[in-house]
Amino acid sequence: MDVIIDVKRHSYDDLLVLEDIKIQVREGEIVAVIGPSGCGKSTLLGIAGGILKPSEGKVFLEGNAPPDCLNPLTFIFQDFALLPWRTVEQNVGLPLEHHKLSTSDRQARIADALQRTGLSDFAKALPKQLSGGMRQRVGIARALVVKPAVLLMDEPLSALDAQTRDLLMEDFLDLLLHERMAGIYITHNFQEALRLADRVVVLSRRPGRIKEVLTIPIPQLERTNKAALAPLAELGDRLWSLIRDEASVADREVIHD
Amino acid sequence: MDVIIDVKRHSYDDLLVLEDIKIQVREGEIVAVIGPSGCGKSTLLGIAGGILKPSEGKVFLEGNAPPDCLNPLTFIFQDFALLPWRTVEQNVGLPLEHHKLSTSDRQARIADALQRTGLSDFAKALPKQLSGGMRQRVGIARALVVKPAVLLMDEPLSALDAQTRDLLMEDFLDLLLHERMAGIYITHNFQEALRLADRVVVLSRRPGRIKEVLTIPIPQLERTNKAALAPLAELGDRLWSLIRDEASVADREVIHD
Amino acid sequence: ETVKIGVAKSTTAAPVYVAVAKGFFAAEGIDPQVVFFEAAQPVAVAVVSGDIDVGVTGFTGGFYALAGQGALKIIGAHSREVPGFHGLGYFVSEKAAAAGLKTVKDIPGHSVAFTTVGSAFHYSLALAAEKYGFDMQTVHLEPLQSNPNAASAVAGGSVDIAMVPSTSGLPVVQRGQAKVLAWVGDETTWQLGATFISAKTADTRGDMVKRFMNAYRKGARLYHDAVTGPDELPKNGPQTAEMIAIIAKAIGQTDAEVSTALAYADPDERVDVKDILHQIAWYRAQGMVKGEFNPEDMIDKRYMIPYPQK
Amino acid sequence: MTEITAGGASVRREVAFRGGGFIAMPKPAYSWIAFAGIIALWQLAISAGWIDPVFLPSPASIVEALWQLTVSGDLWKHLSISLARIGSGWLIGSGLGLIVGVSMGLTSAGRAIGMPLVSAIYPVPKIALLPLLILWLGIGETPKVVTIASGVFFPTVIATLAGVDSVPRNLIAMAQSFNLPTRSIVWKVLLPSALPGILAGFRISVSTALLLVVAAEMIGAQYGIGAFLLTAGNLMQSDDLMAGVVILSILGLGFGAGLTALERVLLRWR
Amino acid sequence: MTEITAGGASVRREVAFRGGGFIAMPKPAYSWIAFAGIIALWQLAISAGWIDPVFLPSPASIVEALWQLTVSGDLWKHLSISLARIGSGWLIGSGLGLIVGVSMGLTSAGRAIGMPLVSAIYPVPKIALLPLLILWLGIGETPKVVTIASGVFFPTVIATLAGVDSVPRNLIAMAQSFNLPTRSIVWKVLLPSALPGILAGFRISVSTALLLVVAAEMIGAQYGIGAFLLTAGNLMQSDDLMAGVVILSILGLGFGAGLTALERVLLRWR
Ligand SMILES: Nc1ncnc2c1ncn2[C@@H]1O[C@H](COP(=O)(O)OP(=O)(O)OP(=O)(O)O)[C@@H](O)[C@H]1O
Ligand SMILES: Nc1ncnc2c1ncn2[C@@H]1O[C@H](COP(=O)(O)OP(=O)(O)OP(=O)(O)O)[C@@H](O)[C@H]1O
Ligand SMILES: [Mg+2]
Ligand SMILES: [Mg+2]
C-alpha cells in the first residue's frame, strides 16, 4: 500500500509551518525526512497519519493493505507514548481491544509482536522498570501488532542514548526490511537517514518546504560493507551541507512571547 | 593543573556502583569516559568534582590553577542546569556573585564568556526562549566565566538533537583546545569520544570498573583529515566491540522495586 | 397524629416537657416528637420549611423577619422574663465589678457580650436602656454568636458584662471568674418568645392546632402551679421536684442545674400582644426587620388567648 | 478507512481525520451567557411564583440589597474592616508558613518534627475552638487575626514544603559545584524554584482566609463582611445574606485574578 | 580549595567535599520524641500550675475524657453517626465532582460554563448559609450530608480538572492514531492518567469533609462528633472539647494514611 502526501499549506494560527509538500512513499520503501528543529516534521507526520488536519491539502492511501491489517497508518512515537499503568503486554494489546478478535488470535498477535522485538521475557514488566531502549521496543511491538501497511516514525531513536540507539537501529532495520510496509522516518540524524532510507527528503527551515530529495542507490544490507563507506560518506557530506546552515539559523532563533 | 581520581569503591546503600577506578588527567589533556547506562559515570564525575562523597577513595588536585581561576573544578551538565528565572547573562554571572570582584572585572568576564560561546546577542534572553543548543552554550559560558582548571562534562551534548550536537561539538573542541584545562568528558557516544578525547576510559557495566584505556594517537585537529578516517574507524570498531555486549545487557535489565 | 415540636435545648420550654411526660398530648390524640435545637433561630426556619409542626422558642430578629413575610403565625406564649425567675442574667467580670460596675444603671461605657444582634439579650438591654434612660450608643456591644463564647469572654475578662442564660453564666460564677450583676426578669419584664406554627398549618390543620394548644395549656398550668406562688414569684412546692426531674430528663442536665434555671410560664400561655408590638417596633427602628406588614397579622387570634392589658 | 483494510481492487482513498478534541479552548462568551442565563432563570422562577422568595431571594432583591449597602456607605465600612483582618491574618499566616515550610524542607529534623504536628493540627475545625480561643486571646482583633492566620498557616506550610521538595536536585548540585554559600543557595536557587508551588499554595490560602473571615467575625465583631453575613443570617434577611455571599464571591474572584496577574509577572520565566 | 587557587608551588591537595544537604531523610524517631516532648511539657505546665486548666485542659484530663467517652460507649455512637455522614457526603460530593470535573475537562463549553461558577461558589462559607440550607432542606440528614458533599464537591472538581488537563497530549494522540473510540480513550487513557491528580484532590476533600462535620452537625444533630464538640463547647467542658478535637485529628491522620495506602496500590506504576 502506498501513501501520497499532498500538503499545500499548514499553519498554526498565524504561524506558517509547511508549504507545498508532495511525497509519495511506495510499499516496501523507506523515506527519511530530515530538517532543522521546528521546521514542521512532526506536523507533517501528524497530517500523514490523519491526526492533524492540514490547513490545505490531502493525504491518500492507494492499493491494498495486508489482509489482517487492523490499522493501516500506524505511528511509532519519539517519546514511546506508553501507558505507564499497563504492563508491556497490556500496552501492546491496547490497539486490539476495540477490535473483534478471538482470544487466541489476540494472544497470538501479541506473542508474535513481543517475540519479534525481543520482549517475550518482559511481558509482565511495567514501563518504569525498563530502559529507554526497551520502552521503544514496546512502542514498536504495539505498532506491529496491528500489522500496519504504513509505518510513521517520528524520531523513534532520538530519545535514546547513543549506545542504545546504535543497538536498536540494527533491529529496526531488520524489522522494516522484513515487512513490505511503506515507512516514513522523521529524523535529525543524517547517519540514521543514510542507514535506513531508500530516499531522503530534506526540508528547509520553517516554513518547511522540500529543499531536495536524495536517493541512496545502495541496498540497506550492503551499506555496512567496506565498499559502501566512501559513497555513503560523500552522501553524508552532501546532506550535512544541505542542512547545516538552516540548522544553525534555526538553533539561534529566539522565541518571543 | 592535574586531577587524580582514586576511587576504591562507591555504593548507594547496598548497590555497588564503582570499584577500583584510578584515573589521572593532566593539564591540557581530555579524557573521555564511556560505558553503558547506569554503570556509574555520573557518580564518578560527581566524586571527581567533590559533590559526592565516595564510600572509599579520594580525589586530588596537583599543580597550579590559572591565576584568575575562581573555581578550579567546574561542571558542565547534561541538562544544562540553568536557572530558568535568570537571563543568559545573569545565569553566566551566578558563579561570580559570591566572589569579591570589581564590577568592571565581573562584566568583562561575563562579556568574554558570552562572546566566546557566541551568545553576545542573547545576553538578555531567558532560557525558555532558547533552543537546546543555545542553552548548553550558556552552560559552557557559565563554566568559562570562572576560568576553571579542570572541566567536568557529563554528557554535555546528549540532550541535544543530532544536528545541534554536530554543530556544537566543533565549537566545543575549539574551546577545549584553546584553554590549557584538564577535561573529563562523560559520554555514551563513541563518535564524540573519538573526536574530542586524547584518551578514552571504557567502563564495564555496573559495578563500573575500568575495562580498558584507549589512547588516540592522532591530534584532534587532524582527525577530520581523509588520512585519519581509516585508523579512527578502526578505533571506533574496537570501542564499539568493547561496549556493545555490556550495553545490550545493561539495556535489558529490569528494575525491580 | 404525629406532631413535631421544635424547642431550643433549655428549661424555658418546660410546659412542653411536662405535657409530654404527663401524656396530655396523647390524651388529645397527638403523638408528640420533641426536636431539640442548639439555638432558637433554626426552630423558626425549620417551621417555615415544614420540618417542624410547632415551634416553642424565644423571639429573634429572624423570627420576626419570617413572620413579617407571613410565613409564621403566633398561637401562644412562651416563657416570660418576670421578677424572681433567673432565666437570663447580666454577669459581670471580676475586674469590672472591682472597678465599680455594680448595677444595670452603670452599664453605659462598658462592653456587653451576648449571642447575636437582635437576640433576646439585645432586646432586654434595649429595654433596660429605656428604663434607665441611657443611650444604647454608649454601650459597646459584642455579639459573639454563642452563649459559651460570651461566657468565655467574661470569664477571661475581655468584656465587662456577658448577658447569657443562667445555665451558661452560673458555672463561671461558681469558678469565681464573674459575678451576677442582675437578672433580666427583675429589671425588665417582657414576653420572651412564642408558640408558633406555619401559616399553612394554621389554615389547614386547625383541629390539630386546637388539640395541641389544649394539651399544651394543661402542661403550662400544671408547671405554673408547681413552681409559682400566688404572688407570681417562684416557690418550692410539693410538686416542684417532680417538675425539675421531668425537665432534667428531657434536656439531659442534672436536677441541680435545672433547679437554678427554672423559667416562668404563663398558666394559659396567653400572648402579650402589646409587648409583641413593642418588640416589633424596636426591631423595625433598628432596621433589623424590614418590609411593610401589619404586626397584628402575625398573631393568629383563632388559637391564642390575649394577655390582659393593665 | 475500513474500506481500505477490507482489501479489494487497488483504489485511492483519502485518509480520514481521526484526531482533535480533548482540549478545552477558552470560550468566554459561553461563560457570560451561562451566567446571564442562570440569573435570568432564577429571577423568572421567582417572578413567576415558582419559588417562594422566603426560600430564595430574587436576584433583583439581592442587587437591591447590594445597592442599599453601597449607598449607605456600610459596604465600605464592612469591607475595609474585613480586608484589614484578612490582610493581616493572611500576611502573618503566610509569613510564618513560609518560614516553617522552608525550614521543614531544609532539615531532616525540622520535617520529622513538623510534619506530624501539621498533619495532626491541620484538620482541627476552627469554629469548634472559638470558646477556647476567646478565653486565650479575648475578643479584640487578636483572636480574629489569629483565626485567619492559623487557617492560612497550614496550607502555606504544605505548599511551601511541596515547592521546596520539587526543586530540581541538579540545580542545587550546580550551585554547590560553584561553591555558592548555603544562604545563597536558599535565596537564589531554592526559593525562586519553589515559587510556583508557593504561589499555588497562596491560591488555597487566600480562599481559606476568605472562608475564615466568617468564623473570625463570630468573635465580637460589629462590622465586617462576616459580621454582616452572620447578622443577616440571625435576622433571616436572606437578601442581605445573599448579598454578603455575593461580596465574598467577588472578593474570591478578585483575589484569584490578582494572583493570576502576580503569577504572570513573577513566573514570566516559565 | 582556596590554597590551590592561590597558586604557589606544585602541591597535591585533596578535593574537599562540597555537596550534600538539602534533602530531608525520614527520621521517625524525631517525630515520636517531638510529640512526646510537647505532651510532657504541656502536662508539666499544668501540673506545675503555670497554666490554668480552665484555659487549657491537661493531656491527662483529655485522655481521661477520651477514656470516659470510650467506656460509656458514646464514642462509638458519635463516631458511627458522623462517619456515616462524612462517608455519604464525601461519596456524593466526590462522585458528582468527578463527573463534573471530567465533563469540564473534556468539552470547551463545559469548562467555559463551569469554571466561573465553580470559582464563584467555591469561596462561599458554608456556615453562613446554614439558615438558608435549613430552609431548603430541613433539619434531617439531608442538609448535613449536603453540607459535607458541597464542601467536597468543589475541591474534587478542581483537582479532577487539573488531572485531566495534565494528561499528556501524546497519549491521547497515540490512542487516536489506533482509532480507539472516544469512550475507550476516556476510560483507558484519560482517567487512569488523571488518577494521581484526582487522588491528590481526595486528600484535600477528605480534610474538608472532616472540617465540615462540625458545621453540618450544627443543624439539629443530637449525636456525632461535631454535635459532641458543640455541646462540649456550650457547656464549656474544655476537656471534652479537646477530646473531640483529638478524635478529629486522629480521623484526619487515619484517612490520610488510608489514602497513602490507596495511592501505593493504585499508583504502583509510577
Ligand atoms: N499545536 C501547536 N500550536 C501552535 N504551534 C505549534 C503547535 N505544534 C507545533 N507548533 C509549532 O510549529 C512549528 C513546527 O512544529 P513541529 O513540531 O512540526 O516541528 P518539528 O520539525 O517536528 O520540530 P522538532 O525537530 O523540534 O521535533 C514549531 O515552530 C512549533 O513551535
Ligand atoms: N542518589 C542515588 N541513590 C541511589 N542510587 C543511585 C543514585 N544515583 C545513582 N544511582 C544508581 O547508581 C547507578 C549509577 O548511576 P549513574 O547515574 O552514576 O550512572 P551513569 O553511568 O551516569 O548512567 P547514565 O549513562 O544513565 O547517565 C545507577 O544504577 C543508578 O540507578
Ligand atoms: Mg518533531
Ligand atoms: Mg549519567
Side-chain angles (χ1 to χ4, degrees):
Chain A
M1 183 172 248
D2 302 355
V3 60
I4 299 145
I5 301 168
D6 183 5
V7 177
K8 301 250 181 314
R9 211 167 42 73
H10 185 75
S11 35
Y12 293 109
D13 301 321
D14 290 344
L15 186 77
L16 183 63
V17 171
L18 289 173
E19 221 172 15
D20 277 329
I21 309 276
K22 270 197 183 165
I23 304 174
Q24 170 155 19
V25 186
R26 310 204 161 275
E27 195 168 311
E29 186 188 33
I30 302 170
V31 169
V33 177
I34 196 164
S37 261
C39 76
K41 302 183 295 299
S42 299
T43 303
L44 180 64
L45 205 71
I47 291 171
I51 58 171
L52 269 177
K53 222 188 276 218
S55 305
E56 207 187 321
K58 285 188 170 164
V59 181
F60 299 97
L61 289 174
E62 198 170 74
N64 299 325
D68 48 0
C69 169
L70 293 174
N71 194 48
L73 282 159
T74 297
F75 282 87
I76 292 175
F77 298 88
Q78 177 177 12
D79 49 12
F80 324 143
L82 304 182
L83 302 182
W85 52 89
R86 288 185 168 225
T87 62
V88 166
E89 94 193 325
Q90 288 166 339
N91 264 293
V92 172
L94 176 77
L96 305 179
E97 285 170 11
H98 64 288
H99 289 284
K100 285 209 183 57
L101 293 177
S102 69
T103 313
S104 62
D105 187 9
R106 190 186 310 264
Q107 281 170 351
R109 274 175 181 259
I110 295 173
D112 176 58
L114 291 180
Q115 191 255 311
R116 284 203 287 163
T117 47
L119 287 169
S120 303
D121 295 344
F122 301 86
K124 306 282 181 214
L126 285 170
K128 68 160 177 180
Q129 300 177 295
L130 303 177
S131 67
M134 296 301 280
R135 286 184 209 177
Q136 188 55 296
R137 284 174 195 274
V138 182
I140 298 167
R142 183 180 55 194
L144 295 179
V145 88
V146 293
K147 314 254 161 125
V150 181
L151 207 51
L152 305 168
M153 297 162 275
D154 191 354
E155 307 192 39
L157 302 179
S158 76
L160 307 176
D161 66 67
Q163 289 163 20
T164 314
R165 199 152 51 216
D166 285 340
L167 287 166
L168 195 53
M169 180 148 55
E170 297 306 312
D171 292 1
F172 220 106
L173 182 63
D174 200 49
L175 283 168
L176 286 173
L177 295 180
H178 268 79
E179 320 284 321
R180 292 293 297 171
M181 296 182 282
I184 303 183
Y185 189 98
I186 305 278
T187 181
H188 266 111
N189 189 326
F190 67 84
Q191 321 248 18
E192 279 175 28
L194 288 181
R195 184 81 195 85
L196 292 173
D198 297 298
R199 276 186 297 150
V200 182
V201 175
V202 182
L203 294 187
S204 68
R205 68 170 188 276
R206 195 180 59 226
R209 287 169 229 242
I210 294 182
K211 195 167 170 181
E212 186 140 348
V213 180
L214 250 72
T215 305
I216 305 177
I218 310 157
Q220 279 91 342
L221 293 178
E222 291 166 26
R223 289 185 196 169
T224 42
N225 296 353
K226 276 268 142 81
L229 276 177
L232 279 180
E234 213 158 293
L235 275 168
D237 285 349
R238 172 127 182 69
L239 263 180
W240 185 225
S241 75
L242 277 171
I243 53 180
R244 158 161 216 141
D245 295 339
E246 308 262 347
S248 80
V249 173
D251 194 36
R252 300 181 78 81
E253 256 166 17
V254 175
I255 300 133
H256 293 283
D257 58 344
Chain B
M1 185 171 245
D2 301 356
V3 60
I4 299 144
I5 302 167
D6 182 6
V7 177
K8 302 251 181 311
R9 214 168 38 76
H10 185 76
S11 36
Y12 293 109
D13 300 320
D14 290 344
L15 186 77
L16 183 63
V17 171
L18 291 172
E19 221 172 15
D20 278 328
I21 309 277
K22 269 196 187 168
I23 303 173
Q24 172 156 16
V25 186
R26 309 203 163 275
E27 195 169 308
E29 188 188 32
I30 302 169
V31 170
V33 178
I34 197 164
S37 263
C39 76
K41 300 182 295 299
S42 298
T43 304
L44 179 63
L45 205 70
I47 292 172
I51 59 171
L52 269 178
K53 220 188 276 218
S55 306
E56 207 185 321
K58 286 187 170 162
V59 182
F60 299 95
L61 289 175
E62 200 169 72
N64 300 323
D68 49 359
C69 169
L70 292 175
N71 194 47
L73 282 159
T74 297
F75 282 87
I76 293 175
F77 298 88
Q78 176 176 15
D79 48 12
F80 324 143
L82 303 183
L83 302 182
W85 52 90
R86 287 184 169 226
T87 63
V88 166
E89 89 191 330
Q90 288 167 338
N91 263 292
V92 172
L94 177 77
L96 305 179
E97 286 170 10
H98 64 289
H99 288 285
K100 285 207 182 60
L101 292 177
S102 69
T103 313
S104 63
D105 188 9
R106 190 187 309 264
Q107 281 171 350
R109 275 176 181 258
I110 295 174
D112 177 57
L114 291 180
Q115 191 256 313
R116 285 204 286 163
T117 46
L119 286 169
S120 302
D121 294 345
F122 302 86
K124 306 284 181 214
L126 284 171
K128 68 161 178 181
Q129 299 177 296
L130 302 177
S131 67
M134 296 302 281
R135 286 184 210 177
Q136 189 54 297
R137 283 175 196 272
V138 181
I140 297 167
R142 183 179 56 194
L144 295 179
V145 87
V146 293
K147 314 255 160 123
V150 180
L151 207 51
L152 305 169
M153 297 161 276
D154 192 353
E155 307 192 38
L157 301 178
S158 77
L160 307 176
D161 66 66
Q163 289 162 21
T164 313
R165 200 153 49 219
D166 284 340
L167 287 167
L168 195 53
M169 181 148 53
E170 297 306 313
D171 291 0
F172 220 106
L173 182 62
D174 200 48
L175 282 168
L176 285 173
L177 294 179
H178 268 78
E179 320 284 320
R180 293 293 296 171
M181 297 181 284
I184 303 183
Y185 189 99
I186 305 279
T187 181
H188 266 111
N189 189 326
F190 67 86
Q191 322 247 18
E192 279 174 31
L194 288 180
R195 184 80 194 85
L196 292 175
D198 297 298
R199 278 186 296 152
V200 182
V201 175
V202 182
L203 295 187
S204 69
R205 69 171 189 274
R206 195 182 57 229
R209 288 169 231 242
I210 294 181
K211 198 169 170 181
E212 188 140 345
V213 180
L214 250 71
T215 305
I216 305 176
I218 310 157
Q220 279 91 342
L221 293 178
E222 292 167 25
R223 289 187 196 169
T224 43
N225 297 353
K226 277 266 141 79
L229 277 176
L232 280 179
E234 213 158 291
L235 275 168
D237 285 349
R238 173 124 181 71
L239 263 180
W240 185 226
S241 78
L242 276 171
I243 54 180
R244 157 161 216 141
D245 295 341
E246 308 262 347
S248 82
V249 173
D251 194 38
R252 299 180 79 82
E253 257 165 17
V254 174
I255 300 135
H256 294 284
D257 58 345
Chain C
E1 184 173 13
T2 300
V3 175
K4 285 193 186 157
I5 309 162
V7 298
K9 205 173 192 175
S10 80
T11 55
T12 52
V16 174
Y17 312 140
V18 172
V20 170
K22 288 288 178 185
F24 297 155
F25 287 118
E28 294 284 351
I30 287 174
D31 169 21
Q33 281 190 6
V34 179
V35 180
F36 290 104
F37 288 76
E38 291 295 332
Q41 165 92 340
V43 179
V45 179
V47 169
V48 173
S49 76
D51 273 80
I52 294 295
D53 298 309
V54 184
V56 184
T57 63
F59 290 123
T60 60
F63 175 89
Y64 285 122
L66 290 169
Q69 295 174 69
L72 292 174
K73 299 288 177 198
I74 296 171
I75 55 170
H78 178 49
S79 184
R80 287 173 70 82
E81 282 297 325
V82 296
F85 282 87
H86 297 169
L88 311 182
Y90 295 85
F91 297 86
V92 60
S93 74
E94 285 292 332
K95 200 172 66 186
L101 178 50
K102 300 273 188 244
T103 70
V104 172
K105 271 181 272 198
D106 302 331
I107 287 180
H110 290 278
S111 53
V112 180
F114 50 68
T115 52
T116 58
V117 170
S119 63
F121 307 102
H122 192 184
Y123 179 67
S124 298
L125 188 62
L127 287 181
E130 267 178 38
K131 179 176 167 189
Y132 293 110
F134 62 77
D135 183 358
M136 282 291 277
Q137 298 295 328
T138 61
V139 183
H140 304 292
L141 303 180
E142 302 286 2
L144 292 177
Q145 304 307 320
S146 77
N147 289 320
N149 287 355
S152 268
V154 80
S158 43
V159 293
D160 301 327
I161 290 173
M163 293 180 72
V164 289
S166 53
T167 39
S168 296
L170 289 177
V172 182
V173 173
Q174 273 155 23
R175 288 203 303 266
Q177 293 167 318
K179 286 193 164 63
V180 177
L181 182 80
W183 296 102
V184 167
D186 294 341
E187 295 290 339
T188 47
T189 298
W190 64 284
Q191 182 173 332
L192 192 58
T195 306
F196 52 91
I197 54 180
S198 70
K200 192 167 152 235
T201 306
D203 293 340
T204 59
R205 297 171 70 189
D207 177 51
M208 180 280 285
V209 176
K210 289 209 170 89
R211 283 184 284 125
F212 176 89
M213 286 308 291
N214 283 343
Y216 180 49
R217 287 195 182 104
K218 270 191 214 160
R221 167 68 64 190
L222 183 60
Y223 173 76
H224 172 268
D225 292 352
V227 302
T228 316
D231 47 3
E232 296 297 308
L233 285 173
K235 76 162 187 200
N236 199 346
Q239 289 169 304
T240 308
E242 188 196 356
M243 293 297 119
I244 290 174
I246 289 173
I247 298 165
K249 184 156 178 283
I251 64 174
Q253 291 188 0
T254 63
D255 288 7
E257 280 166 344
V258 169
S259 65
T260 60
L262 282 181
Y264 176 82
D266 184 88
D268 291 316
E269 295 295 349
R270 291 168 296 178
V271 179
D272 189 342
V273 177
K274 188 163 159 254
D275 190 12
I276 289 176
L277 296 183
H278 184 264
Q279 292 184 34
I280 293 172
W282 181 77
Y283 277 111
R284 273 197 163 148
Q286 303 292 312
M288 292 190 277
V289 172
K290 295 184 203 164
E292 280 312 309
F293 60 88
N294 180 0
E296 306 264 1
D297 288 348
M298 55 173 78
I299 299 166
D300 197 324
K301 300 212 166 63
R302 286 174 286 179
Y303 307 111
M304 71 98 178
I305 301 173
Y307 191 78
Q309 304 300 336
K310 286 169 223 157
Chain D
M1 296 296 300
T2 35
E3 299 92 319
I4 295 166
T5 59
S10 174
V11 282
R12 179 185 269 229
R13 285 275 146 77
E14 193 182 335
V15 171
F17 179 62
R18 49 182 172 168
F22 293 99
I23 204 162
M25 314 295 279
K27 297 229 158 93
Y30 280 51
S31 313
W32 292 114
I33 293 171
F35 247 123
I38 288 170
I39 290 173
L41 208 77
W42 175 0
Q43 180 67 51
L44 180 73
I46 288 162
S47 304
W50 302 333
I51 301 180
D52 183 348
V54 173
F55 282 74
L56 186 70
S58 73
S61 65
I62 296 172
V63 170
E64 164 72 18
L66 276 172
W67 176 245
Q68 281 304 328
L69 209 54
T70 316
V71 293
S72 69
D74 283 351
L75 178 65
W76 178 238
K77 199 156 57 178
H78 291 308
L79 213 52
S80 57
I81 290 179
S82 283
L83 285 177
R85 285 170 187 151
I86 293 173
S88 46
W90 185 83
L91 280 177
I92 294 171
S94 310
L96 291 177
L98 274 174
I99 294 171
V100 171
V102 170
S103 329
M104 279 170 61
L106 281 181
T107 64
S108 304
R111 177 174 308 213
I113 295 171
M115 208 55 219
L117 287 178
V118 168
S119 321
I121 302 175
Y122 192 13
V124 172
K126 316 282 167 305
I127 19 170
L129 288 181
L130 284 188
L132 282 181
L133 205 65
I134 292 173
L135 213 48
W136 296 334
L137 302 172
I139 54 158
E141 288 300 302
T142 319
K144 303 183 183 80
V145 171
V146 165
T147 303
I148 295 174
S150 69
V152 165
F153 175 78
F154 291 102
T156 308
V157 169
I158 289 174
T160 307
L161 193 58
V164 169
D165 276 348
S166 73
V167 175
R169 299 288 311 154
N170 69 328
L171 292 186
I172 290 175
M174 180 277 289
Q176 290 178 327
S177 81
F178 284 112
N179 285 331
L180 260 74
T182 304
R183 252 174 51 102
S184 293
I185 297 181
V186 171
W187 282 103
K188 295 181 184 171
V189 180
L190 206 84
L191 285 178
S193 193
L195 193 62
I198 292 172
L199 285 176
F202 283 178
R203 258 177 213 285
I204 297 174
S205 68
V206 162
S207 310
T208 312
L210 273 177
L211 282 177
L212 283 178
V213 77
V214 175
E217 292 180 353
M218 281 186 167
I219 311 170
Q222 299 252 49
Y223 294 106
I225 296 294
F228 172 76
L229 262 175
L230 289 166
T231 306
N234 286 327
L235 300 175
M236 268 327 267
Q237 292 166 343
S238 43
D239 44 358
D240 276 355
L241 186 63
M242 292 300 274
V245 165
V246 168
I247 293 169
L248 281 180
S249 282
I250 292 173
L251 279 184
L253 292 176
F255 287 157
L259 274 175
T260 305
L262 193 69
E263 277 181 351
R264 208 167 289 149
V265 174
L266 289 180
L267 305 182
R268 223 175 354 182
W269 48 271
R270 287 216 296 190
Chain E
M1 297 296 297
T2 37
E3 299 93 319
I4 294 167
T5 59
S10 173
V11 283
R12 179 186 267 227
R13 285 275 148 79
E14 194 181 334
V15 170
F17 179 63
R18 49 182 172 168
F22 294 99
I23 203 163
M25 314 294 280
K27 296 231 156 95
Y30 281 50
S31 314
W32 292 114
I33 293 171
F35 247 121
I38 288 169
I39 290 172
L41 207 76
W42 175 359
Q43 180 68 51
L44 179 74
I46 288 160
S47 306
W50 303 333
I51 301 179
D52 181 350
V54 173
F55 281 71
L56 187 69
S58 73
S61 65
I62 296 172
V63 170
E64 165 70 19
L66 275 172
W67 176 246
Q68 281 304 328
L69 208 55
T70 316
V71 294
S72 70
D74 283 351
L75 178 65
W76 178 238
K77 199 158 54 180
H78 292 306
L79 213 52
S80 57
I81 290 179
S82 283
L83 285 178
R85 285 173 188 149
I86 293 173
S88 46
W90 185 84
L91 281 178
I92 294 170
S94 310
L96 290 177
L98 275 173
I99 294 170
V100 171
V102 170
S103 330
M104 278 169 62
L106 281 182
T107 63
S108 304
R111 176 172 308 211
I113 294 171
M115 207 56 218
L117 287 179
V118 167
S119 320
I121 302 175
Y122 192 13
V124 172
K126 314 285 165 308
I127 20 169
L129 287 182
L130 285 188
L132 284 182
L133 210 62
I134 295 174
L135 209 51
W136 296 334
L137 303 170
I139 52 159
E141 287 301 300
T142 321
K144 302 183 183 79
V145 171
V146 166
T147 303
I148 294 174
S150 68
V152 165
F153 175 78
F154 291 102
T156 307
V157 168
I158 289 173
T160 306
L161 193 58
V164 169
D165 276 347
S166 73
V167 175
R169 299 287 312 155
N170 69 327
L171 292 186
I172 290 175
M174 180 278 289
Q176 290 178 327
S177 81
F178 283 112
N179 285 332
L180 260 74
T182 304
R183 251 174 52 100
S184 293
I185 296 181
V186 172
W187 281 103
K188 294 180 184 171
V189 179
L190 207 84
L191 285 178
S193 194
L195 192 62
I198 292 171
L199 286 177
F202 283 178
R203 258 177 215 285
I204 297 174
S205 67
V206 162
S207 310
T208 311
L210 274 178
L211 281 177
L212 282 178
V213 77
V214 175
E217 292 180 354
M218 281 185 169
I219 310 169
Q222 302 254 46
Y223 293 107
I225 297 293
F228 172 75
L229 262 175
L230 289 168
T231 310
N234 279 332
L235 304 175
M236 264 324 263
Q237 293 163 341
S238 44
D239 45 358
D240 274 356
L241 187 64
M242 292 300 274
V245 165
V246 168
I247 293 169
L248 282 179
S249 282
I250 293 173
L251 280 182
L253 291 176
F255 286 157
L259 274 175
T260 305
L262 194 69
E263 276 180 353
R264 207 166 291 149
V265 174
L266 290 181
L267 306 182
R268 223 175 354 183
W269 48 271
R270 287 216 296 190

